[in-house]
Amino acid sequence: MTTPVFDPVSIPVFDTGTTARRRRSAKWRTHPADVLPMFVAEMDVALAPPVQRVLADAVAASDTGYAVALPELGQALAGFTERRWGWTVDPGWVAPVPDVGVGMVEVLRLLGAAGRPVVFSPPVYPPFWNWVTEVGAHAVEVPLTDDGSWRLDLPALERAFAQRPAAYLLCNPHNPVGRVPDAAELAALVELATRYGVPLVSDEIHAPLTLPGETFTPLLTVPGAADVALALVSASKAFNLAGLKCAAVVAGSAPMHAVLTRMPPDVRWRAGHLGVLASVAAFTDGDAWLDGLRGALADRFDTLGQLLAEQLPQVRWCRPQATFLAWLDCRAVGEGDAPFQRFLQRGRVAVEPGTRFGAPGSGFVRLNVGTSHELLTEGVARMAAALR
Ligand SMILES: Cc1ncc(COP(=O)(O)O)c(C=O)c1O
């Protein structure tokens, strides 16, 4: 781990090459030590000072028992969503879950998805397929538009919704393409869902990482959405807390809250106590640090754009509106559907293979820029060297 930094001005502190390798998380232990990992969605950043403090205090007090998430988690989340997006969340309609994946699986069970179709839009975060399979449902893919704009394909979604699937899983903002669906697009989605009686489940884990100048629309703020939709939220991506296990399912109407009340009672015992403490601190006192982080990520994307233009002009990309993930079109580098192998084998840099995100990812890779300027520069240099 990096040395804790209690930064009074809340400027995010990123690891350098020396400090990053002290971490023992999946990002740093999946590949041999000579590989620079830029794949899994963890950032190389020191924790936000309010989060560091609450965790250090809990460990010092041996306060490591079971979590009691409510009411604090719901209240902290409601404060955050109101301040950031004007989204009024009722803290009583927030259900704690260990992580977004568990929350999604539990919600699919509550919606009676077993044996039925569940629709989502690749290229998308690979566990979308696994979650659907885990509950015994079957995946129906309605890809994002393939004209480079990566929008929801509303006519194709209408055809899929007419088959009365158990749910549509929205990725908002969308991983890996980094797009934030706009309010009109979401309104059209809600209209379709209402017309065909299809519940919507919105994975909003990347929402706090909407970049400066871009607008995130929480699905439940779209008129009519609260009657048909649930949202999954977490501090874990933006504040780098994935290992601490805390997320939440949010309802915005009495009928959808009634769905959540059928959640198995043991689920709340599975959330991590440290995750709850950290999430409450992040949602309550993390705004300044988060804004600093968003600025730093925008700077990384500027750097990436320059580095790609100089060193990898054959790689095309579209600057994301959110997340710390860049979706790189490597179809012109001539490695078929698996350019990541060449980057790994010859460049010793690990990026996510595009095909993990579904067939539309063929020829793409996903690069994690949630790191220092130094490591990002080294990563792109390794990719460029791999193609020489
Ligand atoms: C869109 C999306 N949803 C969910 C997750 C996983 O969240 P969790 O670790 O809370 O299950 C990720 C992780 O990167 C993600 O990108």
Side-chain angles (χ1 to χ4, degrees):
M1 282 295 296
T2 49
T3 311
V5 178
F6 296 99
D7 190 327
V9 288
S10 279
I11 295 170
V13 178
F14 285 89
D15 293 347
T16 61
T18 351
T19 53
R21 288 200 185 276
R22 291 185 206 153
R23 295 179 187 248
R24 290 168 293 177
S25 57
K27 179 172 181 180
W28 292 95
R29 292 191 54 191
T30 301
H31 292 283
D34 68 324
V35 170
L36 182 61
M38 305 190 82
F39 67 113
V40 68
E42 297 178 19
M43 286 185 287
D44 306 329
V45 69
L47 291 173
V51 173
Q52 289 193 19
R53 272 193 291 275
V54 78
L55 292 175
D57 289 351
V59 171
S62 303
D63 180 10
T64 52
Y66 287 112
V68 177
L70 299 176
E72 288 87 349
L73 182 66
Q75 289 165 347
L77 175 68
F80 184 82
T81 61
E82 190 75 58
R83 288 192 309 278
R84 308 292 296 186
W85 306 304
W87 173 20
T88 306
V89 165
D90 181 336
W93 286 354
V94 171
V97 287
D99 57 30
V100 166
V102 169
M104 191 65 92
V105 166
E106 292 299 337
V107 165
L108 286 172
R109 289 195 178 114
L110 295 174
L111 295 174
R116 299 174 59 202
V118 170
V119 184
F120 55 86
S121 298
V124 75
Y125 179 60
F128 273 52
W129 283 266
N130 305 340
W131 297 332
V132 169
T133 308
E134 188 171 335
V135 299
H138 55 270
V140 173
E141 301 176 20
V142 176
L144 299 175
T145 55
D146 63 1
D147 55 1
S149 67
W150 304 119
R151 298 177 67 84
L152 298 178
D153 186 339
L154 293 163
L157 283 175
E158 174 160 14
R159 289 192 292 278
F161 284 14
Q163 306 304 311
R164 313 283 165 178
Y168 174 71
L169 311 184
L170 176 70
C171 198
N172 177 31
H174 198 99
N175 171 8
V177 303
R179 187 164 175 269
V180 184
D182 61 43
E185 201 174 355
L186 294 179
L189 177 71
V190 169
E191 193 277 318
L192 287 180
T194 308
R195 182 146 37 104
Y196 292 99
V198 178
L200 303 176
V201 190
S202 187
D203 175 347
E204 304 192 345
I205 195 169
H206 287 281
L209 292 172
T210 303
L211 294 168
E214 305 291 350
T215 303
F216 167 69
T217 306
L219 181 64
L220 293 184
T221 64
V222 173
D227 296 327
V228 293
L230 291 166
L232 279 146
V233 296
S234 175
S236 70
K237 280 302 119 183
F239 292 90
N240 217 33
L241 309 175
L244 297 183
K245 295 296 160 196
C246 177
V249 191
V250 183
S253 67
M256 293 313 277
H257 176 241
V259 173
L260 286 190
T261 58
R262 293 190 281 108
M263 181 100 71
D266 278 357
V267 173
R268 83 170 179 91
W269 292 100
R270 296 174 187 153
H273 179 47
L274 295 181
V276 171
L277 298 178
S279 301
V280 169
F283 285 141
T284 308
D285 296 315
D287 286 33
W289 182 90
L290 177 60
D291 289 335
L293 175 73
R294 291 163 59 243
L297 294 178
D299 171 72
R300 292 305 177 276
F301 285 121
D302 290 345
T303 301
L304 178 65
Q306 288 160 13
L307 294 173
L308 290 177
E310 289 161 15
Q311 299 177 38
L312 285 165
Q314 62 277 57
V315 171
R316 297 174 58 201
W317 75 304
C318 191
R319 192 186 164 97
Q321 296 171 291
T323 79
F324 46 84
L325 306 166
W327 186 233
L328 304 182
D329 179 350
C330 302
R331 286 175 293 185
V333 308
E335 288 296 314
D337 64 357
F340 81 97
Q341 276 173 346
R342 182 147 173 186
F343 294 134
L344 181 60
Q345 283 158 13
R346 294 186 54 181
R348 308 308 283 162
V349 55
V351 294
E352 286 285 356
T355 45
R356 285 198 69 214
F357 301 82
S362 178
F364 285 74
V365 300
R366 193 192 71 177
L367 176 78
N368 177 347
V369 308
T371 189
S372 55
H373 193 273
E374 170 199 333
L375 291 180
L376 175 59
T377 305
E378 184 181 335
V380 177
R382 286 179 181 225
M383 290 170 72
L387 297 187
R388 264 179 228 127

